[in-house]
Amino acid sequence: MRCGDFKESYLKDETIFQTYWVKFWLFILMLFLLGLPFYANSYVMYVANLIGFAIIGAVGLNLLTGFTGQISLGHAAFIGVGGYTAAILVTRLGLPFWVAMPLAGLTAAATGMVIGIPSLRVKGLYLVIATLAAQFILEYVFVHWESMTHGIRGINVPAPRLGSFVFDTEQKFYYITLAVVLLGVGFARNLVRTKWGRAFIAIRDRDLAAEIMGINLFRYKLVAFGLSSFYAGIAGALWVGFIKVVTPEHFPFSLSIQYLAMVIVGGLGSVLGAIFGAVFMTLVPELLNVLTSFAKSSVPGLEHVFLPMKDVIFGLLIVSFLIFEPHGLAEIWHRIKNFFNLWPFSY
Amino acid sequence: MTTVSETKKNQEFMLEAQGLYLKFGGVNVLTNVSTGVKKNEIFAIIGPNGAGKTCLLNCINRFYQPHQGKIIFEGADITRLKSHQIASLGIARTFQNVELFRGMTVIDNIKLGSHVHLNTGLLSAGFYFGAARKTELGLRKEIEESIIDLLEIEHIRKKTVGTLPYGLQKRVELARALAMKPKVLLMDEPVTGMNLEETEDMARFILDIHDEWGVTIVLIEHDMGVVMDISDRVCVLDFGVKIAEGLPSEIRHNDEVIKAYLGEKDITYSRLGA
Ligand SMILES: Nc1ncnc2c1ncn2[C@@H]1O[C@H](COP(=O)(O)OP(=O)(O)OP(=O)(O)O)[C@@H](O)[C@H]1O
Ligand SMILES: [Mg+2]
């Protein structure tokens, strides 16, 4: 029986998955995720892919906003940079998707770092405005750099392929998404428990004290911008490979806000939180959609009541989370876990 | 202005201020302050409230830019360096009002202190294999065995700093500074706000660090008992001007110092512990 946790060695103390139970449940989860395409229909797999992209984007944004404390309103634009880079590299240069994707990440990272340069001088709201400007400038570029982006007509992209195997269905693409999500989440989770993660948090909490520890604020803020945009770029490349087309309206300002909402609802400064937030923000609107069409088919006319209610319900859910659990879904999860850790002695 | 032991002045300083001037909005906070600490010394800076003691340390840490004068460390001019560069030279600092990361655990705070000694690359950190893993484990072991044992904070190492009482927070801040493996430790009022027992513990820790780790210590303190007990030399500031410097026994009976402190001999004697 498990009762609290008393760790004997530092090694054990420093590992992520601390007990056999956690490992066991992770194993079950992996089996479930790997097997999902065999019993789920295309719609479910479509949503699963969207959730995957959102997780990658949100984990990236949380590194910047949740860990380093730099709020960005331009995340969608960096996703766009990744999407367009991948599309252009695949269609113009004929590069395979597997090469274009990391290059898309790097291009987005470079863009993000340029946007991050003002973070040396400006803080808080002023920096937020700088990232907002980046969002609109990049959106403008997507629309008006016709020779590269084909403006509002966008670029058609072929599905990724490996030899003769083409990833052209939701089910097949899902495995790419899953692999990248695992890689991205694992990387972030590791990073935050080394000197890099500690430096990020130190900058967020008290930049003066961080500098006294020898942390070069500018360097680490830039790295955070770069990393966060790298994740965004990868998410963008996946998105484009998945829906096989890229147009400017895929990366609106409202998407940036949505990503910010994911990390806030999920839990700032927690990798797990970003995952929860991404799942929540993607799944709930879809569930509400399903409910609406269900209402339509069972009681004709009801959908007129339900349709406008959808956004209201979604909004209310977000607000109530913020009120009742300001530390996000990750905190709720911790509490549930602790309850069972000590169960049945959890008084 | 009388300097008590003019003769001792021109010896090798490890860390030295030369003719520092600092102004805020036309007001002189530091006026031509020259002083220094020798290797392996415990050097105290005292003076009434608002004398400019904290400002002097802030100039060394490069939070403030002196308008004139130089700061020399191990023979090199460091007046133009950035704060984080000062840290990597081996100059550590604790603050008058604790500057810890309140949301982090004690152990994470201390780990942050060793930041400059870790060279884990981004990729190796993200994949956490090999070197990164070994570095983190080695760091943990080192901190546990040297710093946490020395400062007797085993019982709180997993606690969040914000939940700790003030006295312990000061100790954690010292622990974090030690994790920098500093050559010089600048301490701003390490025992202020502590009870007698905590004060004695802290004084003992400072001496341990000095004796066992060979760290040179610069100490700002109002508690004259501690200052007179543990310091090798004392420098006195008043209204931004250095009015005296010398052995504790010399400072205790210096007229300028007594006047600066209260103007009234009896009370001053009791405060200076003379
Ligand atoms: N950032 C600042 N801007 C303007 N004035 C300042 C600033 N920092 C300090 N001062 C002024 O400089 C003078 C010296 O301050 P300092 O904090 O160095 O005093 P101190 O000797 O450390 O005093 P205490 O013993 O009370 O800590 C004070 O008059 C203070 O008001
Ligand atoms: Mg002070």
Side-chain angles (χ1 to χ4, degrees):
Chain A
M1 190 197 66
R2 323 186 42 235
C3 189
D5 53 345
F6 298 96
K7 292 134 195 157
E8 288 109 41
S9 81
Y10 307 138
L11 171 66
K12 267 201 211 149
D13 207 14
E14 298 274 331
T15 43
I16 298 179
F17 308 123
Q18 295 203 333
T19 68
Y20 288 111
W21 275 109
V22 178
K23 284 192 184 130
F24 172 74
W25 285 115
L26 250 122
F27 181 68
I28 299 288
L29 178 68
M30 272 313 296
L31 282 186
F32 167 77
L33 289 176
L34 282 171
L36 193 61
F38 293 103
Y39 41 84
N41 62 24
S42 311
Y43 172 68
V44 171
M45 292 320 295
Y46 168 78
V47 176
N49 275 292
L50 292 195
I51 289 178
F53 308 152
I55 289 177
I56 296 163
V59 166
L61 183 61
N62 214 0
L63 285 177
L64 179 66
T65 300
F67 283 92
T68 320
Q70 315 293 307
I71 297 170
S72 167
L73 286 179
H75 206 58
F78 301 132
I79 295 177
V81 170
Y84 272 103
T85 308
I88 291 167
L89 290 177
V90 168
T91 55
R92 298 275 178 97
L93 300 184
L95 290 183
F97 181 76
W98 320 108
V99 178
M101 181 166 66
L103 288 178
L106 290 175
T107 312
T111 318
M113 284 165 99
V114 171
I115 304 305
I117 289 175
S119 68
L120 175 66
R121 296 245 163 252
V122 298
K123 280 186 194 166
L125 278 179
Y126 297 94
L127 185 63
V128 173
I129 300 299
T131 62
L132 182 64
Q135 166 79 34
F136 289 122
I137 292 169
L138 287 170
E139 263 187 73
Y140 183 89
V141 172
F142 298 156
V143 176
H144 293 275
W145 196 8
E146 292 256 355
S147 59
M148 268 302 185
T149 66
H150 295 185
I152 48 171
R153 281 172 298 135
I155 307 171
N156 288 310
V157 188
R161 53 165 59 232
L162 205 61
S164 60
F165 188 85
V166 186
F167 294 84
D168 54 357
T169 64
E170 285 86 358
Q171 273 86 353
K172 290 178 193 160
F173 201 91
Y174 169 82
Y175 286 106
I176 304 179
T177 310
L178 182 62
V180 178
V181 166
L182 291 178
L183 214 63
V185 168
F187 187 90
R189 192 65 188 77
N190 276 337
L191 188 75
V192 298
R193 62 197 171 123
T194 63
K195 75 177 259 196
W196 295 85
R198 287 193 295 271
F200 289 157
I201 298 172
I203 291 171
R204 176 193 71 193
D205 286 354
R206 232 161 225 272
D207 50 6
L208 191 95
E211 233 183 335
I212 276 294
M213 303 290 97
I215 294 169
N216 182 342
L217 297 186
F218 187 48
R219 174 155 173 247
Y220 279 86
K221 281 183 190 172
L222 274 195
V223 169
F225 267 99
L227 264 177
S228 148
S229 315
F230 183 85
Y231 275 83
I234 295 290
L238 283 172
W239 164 256
V240 166
F242 179 62
I243 58 160
K244 304 198 251 321
V245 65
V246 56
T247 68
E249 63 262 30
H250 287 156
F251 316 106
F253 176 54
S254 60
L255 184 64
S256 286
I257 300 286
Q258 235 174 53
Y259 271 101
L260 216 47
M262 285 179 206
V263 296
I264 294 171
V265 168
L268 287 166
S270 149
V271 175
L272 197 63
I275 299 174
F276 285 143
V279 173
F280 178 84
M281 292 288 291
T282 319
L283 208 52
V284 171
E286 292 297 336
L287 283 179
L288 290 173
N289 275 340
V290 171
L291 276 180
T292 316
S293 53
F294 179 70
K296 191 155 84 186
S297 57
S298 52
V299 187
L302 193 64
E303 80 268 17
H304 297 300
V305 189
F306 211 83
L307 210 56
M309 285 300 287
K310 215 177 66 180
D311 292 335
V312 176
I313 293 175
F314 189 39
L316 278 178
L317 273 174
I318 294 179
V319 171
S320 44
F321 265 128
L322 296 187
I323 293 173
F324 295 114
E325 189 43 79
H327 296 297
L329 297 170
E331 189 56 37
I332 298 178
W333 169 250
H334 276 295
R335 241 183 280 132
I336 296 173
K337 223 173 60 175
N338 282 342
F339 177 80
F340 281 107
N341 269 356
L342 297 168
W343 192 82
F345 299 107
S346 51
Y347 39 80
Chain B
M1 194 178 106
T2 38
T3 311
V4 174
S5 42
E6 206 74 34
T7 46
K8 294 197 172 175
K9 231 180 101 181
N10 44 15
Q11 291 173 22
E12 289 273 297
F13 286 129
M14 182 185 200
L15 176 63
E16 180 181 11
Q18 293 181 349
L20 282 194
Y21 284 83
L22 179 71
K23 283 182 204 159
F24 284 114
V27 181
N28 278 324
V29 174
L30 294 176
T31 310
N32 195 19
V33 173
S34 300
T35 185
V37 55
K38 294 172 211 157
K39 200 168 167 49
N40 262 320
E41 249 185 348
I42 298 183
F43 181 69
I45 301 172
I46 65 171
N49 292 109
K53 307 179 295 291
T54 301
C55 286
L56 180 58
L57 291 198
N58 283 350
C59 284
I60 297 172
N61 282 120
R62 312 291 308 107
F63 291 144
Y64 295 158
Q65 178 64 44
H67 290 76
Q68 244 187 69
K70 274 192 203 161
I71 300 158
I72 310 286
F73 179 63
E74 293 185 327
D77 186 347
I78 59 168
T79 325
R80 297 273 150 199
L81 296 187
K82 300 254 170 54
S83 284
H84 65 85
Q85 293 171 315
I86 298 294
S88 39
L89 288 178
I91 302 180
R93 166 88 186 259
T94 68
F95 292 85
Q96 190 166 349
N97 312 302
V98 182
E99 291 277 348
L100 285 166
F101 306 100
R102 301 176 56 84
M104 287 189 205
T105 60
V106 168
I107 190 99
D108 277 345
N109 263 283
I110 301 174
K111 277 182 178 175
L112 261 163
S114 19
H115 182 86
V116 294
H117 298 293
L118 303 177
N119 47 11
T120 309
L122 189 66
L123 289 182
S124 138
F127 296 114
Y128 205 67
F129 44 36
R133 181 194 177 83
K134 229 161 94 194
T135 309
E136 287 297 311
L137 289 176
L139 173 64
R140 177 72 189 272
K141 193 161 162 348
E142 191 182 318
I143 288 175
E144 294 273 356
E145 284 170 6
S146 55
I147 298 169
I148 289 187
D149 279 1
L150 178 75
L151 299 184
E152 298 160 12
I153 47 178
E154 297 86 354
H155 57 297
I156 53 161
R157 62 183 170 208
K158 292 292 182 60
K159 292 242 165 72
T160 306
V161 163
T163 63
L164 298 174
Y166 182 76
L168 281 178
Q169 289 194 17
K170 286 237 153 193
R171 224 187 268 190
V172 174
E173 201 188 22
L174 176 58
R176 188 182 64 180
L178 283 187
M180 295 172 73
K181 296 185 203 137
K183 294 177 186 160
V184 182
L185 177 56
L186 312 176
M187 307 184 81
D188 199 346
E189 307 202 3
V191 305
T192 304
M194 288 189 171
N195 63 32
L196 191 64
E197 198 192 329
E198 289 171 328
T199 302
E200 279 172 358
D201 282 342
M202 186 55 96
R204 180 162 54 86
F205 295 143
I206 295 173
L207 285 173
D208 281 352
I209 292 161
H210 174 257
D211 298 344
E212 286 173 25
W213 291 43
V215 177
T216 306
I217 288 172
V218 177
L219 170 87
I220 295 179
E221 193 41 70
H222 285 294
D223 186 317
M224 288 308 147
V226 172
V227 169
M228 296 299 163
D229 271 1
I230 69 173
S231 43
D232 299 317
R233 282 187 315 127
V234 181
C235 160
V236 190
L237 289 182
D238 188 27
F239 289 112
V241 177
K242 183 172 98 174
I243 57 170
E245 186 171 312
L247 303 174
S249 54
E250 296 172 319
I251 295 298
R252 192 177 287 178
H253 303 291
N254 182 290
D255 285 338
E256 287 272 342
V257 177
I258 293 166
K259 219 161 61 196
Y261 257 85
L262 276 175
E264 228 180 292
K265 275 204 166 184
D266 300 345
I267 307 172
T268 312
Y269 274 133
S270 63
R271 272 202 67 181
L272 290 175

